[in-house]
Amino acid sequence: MDIREEMTRQFGAEKTGGHGGLEILKHIGPGLLVTVGFIDPGNWASNMAAGSQFGYGLLWVVTLSTLMLILLQHNAAHLGIATGECLAEATRKHFPRWLGTAILATAYAATVATALAEVLGGAIALQMLFGLPVRVGSVIVGAFSVAMLATNSYRRIERWIIAFVSLIGLAFLAELALVNVDWPQAAVSWVSPSFPAGSAAIVMSVLGAVVMPHNLFLHSEVIQSVHYEQQGEKVIRERLRYELFDTLFSMGVGWAINSAMVILAATTFFTRGVVVDDLATAAATLSPILGSAATIIFAVALLLAGLSSSVTAGMAAGTISAGMFGEEYDIHDRHSSVGVALCMGIATLACLLVENTFQGLVLSQALLSLQLPITIFTQIRLTGSKRVMGRYANSRLTNALLLATGIVVTAINVISLAG
């Protein structure tokens, strides 16, 4: 067997089933796809709000959310690798039809909220760059994202978008060396839960911005589209190992970038008593590295982040809508294409009605936190079942960790709502 054949066998380079735009995802890695969600416009708003209002106090939410995300994303990928079914398909197949439809409907609604943040963030960037009204920018971003999904033209620029946005994320990390960070306090805050007065919405927003329900559905779809389950037990076991490394590395990068955003907002704004309620103001955090061009570069990065993440949100919506009919995602199939178009259409319409754009970004992420327990407990039911997973069903330890995650997320939501 030559090297090319071995790489094909190990990594699934041969594509099965025409899934259009999903082809690019197997080249960039599912973990990196999820990391795009770490630095989308919703995350920028949530992290800036957390740091400017509560200093280092909510860093623990970033840490806890990332640990949960590692467990959940690997588990979702586990489902796709072992069964050849994505989370949406498995929900439709293994739950009573009425219940499966209800679960997927809530996931779809959460995906619309995600798309709202992405479109709105892109529109804010267009306003910063060209002075366009946010409503006009929303229509442009929404239409452009649908066009990229419908034509698969985004495949030519997706990796460039991810690379550029990642560089901006690294700029946030590099800037830590240029500000006066109280590292002992940050270290304590990373591992010490606290709920400062008035932090309820921000806690939920940061949690929802990191552990995003639509990414669980999309991750499992990207993985299953290669159909490792048809390539033998050895390939499945090896792919599970590679996927875990991919997830650990990618989520670690996301944790660092999110933490850097919170810390920079804390050192730049909280120490001066400035509350960030506008992403244009937040652009100033890049000035030590990027100088007078900070606002333009920040806006360009925000635009690219919005476009890139709106594409993945649209794909997730198509995955969920196709799953309602027991089908895989395929942009050329009406169940997928209608799901994509409807999600982006509703999200764009909602952007036209939002008065406070920054608050809209924060609240959209909080909505994701409210839906998250539903997706988590659904995933536990599926991946813990030998009827679904066979010999690859969750171990008792994995089930216990997943159950604890679901309980913790639910408890945070309850405490935040009560607060």
Side-chain angles (χ1 to χ4, degrees):
M1 179 180 293
D2 64 23
I3 294 177
R4 181 176 296 180
E5 290 175 343
E6 177 65 13
M7 291 292 287
T8 294
R9 189 176 68 84
Q10 296 288 349
F11 295 98
E14 290 184 353
K15 194 169 188 307
T16 60
H19 296 289
L22 290 179
E23 183 178 358
I24 187 64
L25 302 182
K26 70 172 187 272
H27 293 294
I28 64 174
L32 293 179
L33 173 69
V34 175
T35 305
V36 171
F38 268 90
I39 47 179
D40 76 344
N43 283 81
W44 292 30
S46 298
N47 292 330
M48 291 296 172
S52 67
Q53 294 182 41
F54 305 104
Y56 303 114
L58 298 184
L59 277 172
W60 67 272
V61 185
V62 177
T63 300
L64 181 62
S65 299
T66 304
L67 292 174
M68 291 178 176
L69 185 63
I70 291 171
L71 178 64
L72 290 167
Q73 292 292 160
H74 179 61
N75 191 241
H78 192 151
L79 172 69
I81 292 170
T83 69
E85 297 173 348
C86 70
L87 183 55
E89 289 178 271
T91 300
R92 169 68 175 81
K93 180 178 179 180
H94 298 291
F95 282 86
R97 184 164 187 173
W98 67 269
L99 180 57
T101 300
I103 292 170
L104 293 176
T106 65
Y108 190 86
T111 304
V112 172
T114 301
L116 164 65
E118 328 300 22
V119 172
L120 192 57
I124 293 171
L126 288 175
Q127 183 182 55
M128 293 169 64
L129 288 169
F130 307 111
L132 291 177
V134 170
R135 290 178 173 83
V136 174
S138 297
V139 173
I140 293 174
V141 173
F144 186 66
S145 298
V146 170
M148 286 195 292
L149 282 164
T151 64
N152 290 327
S153 60
Y154 71 90
R155 289 183 297 169
R156 303 184 185 94
I157 63 173
E158 182 76 4
R159 285 199 289 179
W160 289 101
I161 291 175
I162 292 173
F164 189 86
V165 175
S166 297
L167 287 174
I168 297 301
L170 292 175
F172 276 107
L173 291 175
E175 194 174 356
L176 292 179
L178 304 178
V179 294
N180 185 23
V181 180
D182 186 346
W183 289 111
Q185 181 60 43
V188 171
S189 298
W190 266 315
V191 296
S192 301
S194 64
F195 288 86
S199 66
I202 304 299
V203 169
M204 294 174 64
S205 180
V206 173
L207 176 63
V210 174
V211 191
M212 307 175 83
H214 81 287
N215 268 339
L216 297 172
F217 285 91
L218 185 58
H219 198 171
S220 63
E221 169 63 35
V222 173
I223 287 287
Q224 72 83 34
S225 67
V226 186
H227 290 288
Y228 295 103
E229 84 285 356
Q230 298 176 3
Q231 301 177 39
E233 295 293 325
K234 184 178 180 180
V235 173
I236 292 176
R237 290 194 300 270
E238 290 178 339
R239 182 56 201 170
L240 285 171
R241 288 199 300 272
Y242 287 127
E243 191 286 321
L244 178 58
F245 173 80
D246 180 39
T247 297
L248 287 171
F249 173 77
S250 301
M251 300 309 103
V253 171
W255 171 83
I257 293 174
N258 273 277
S259 295
M261 289 183 181
V262 174
I263 291 172
L264 287 170
T267 56
T268 305
F269 298 114
F270 179 74
T271 55
R272 295 172 173 81
V274 177
V275 174
V276 173
D277 56 4
D278 186 347
L279 283 179
T281 302
T285 61
L286 287 179
S287 58
I289 282 183
L290 303 175
S292 60
T295 299
I296 293 176
I297 295 176
F298 184 97
V300 170
L302 181 62
L303 176 61
L304 293 177
L307 290 174
S308 179
S309 53
S310 66
V311 167
T312 60
M315 291 172 66
T319 293
I320 294 168
S321 61
M324 290 182 180
F325 297 91
E327 299 173 357
E328 297 181 16
Y329 172 84
D330 183 348
I331 193 59
H332 302 298
D333 178 80
R334 64 186 177 90
H335 294 139
S336 297
S337 58
V338 170
V340 169
L342 188 61
C343 171
M344 299 307 297
I346 294 174
T348 302
L349 179 61
C351 290
L352 302 181
L353 303 176
V354 171
E355 294 296 334
N356 186 322
T357 56
F358 188 86
Q359 193 65 19
L361 288 172
V362 173
L363 291 179
S364 70
Q365 305 306 290
L367 290 176
L368 304 186
S369 180
L370 290 175
Q371 196 282 335
L372 187 56
I374 299 174
T375 296
I376 292 175
F377 289 118
T378 297
Q379 191 169 303
I380 293 172
R381 173 67 180 82
L382 292 170
T383 58
S385 170
K386 289 187 177 181
R387 181 171 65 89
V388 178
M389 301 288 291
R391 62 184 295 183
Y392 296 103
N394 294 338
S395 66
R396 290 183 179 179
L397 175 60
T398 299
N399 263 341
L401 292 173
L402 287 167
L403 184 61
T405 297
I407 292 172
V408 169
V409 172
T410 304
I412 289 175
N413 284 341
V414 171
I415 292 172
S416 298
L417 290 173

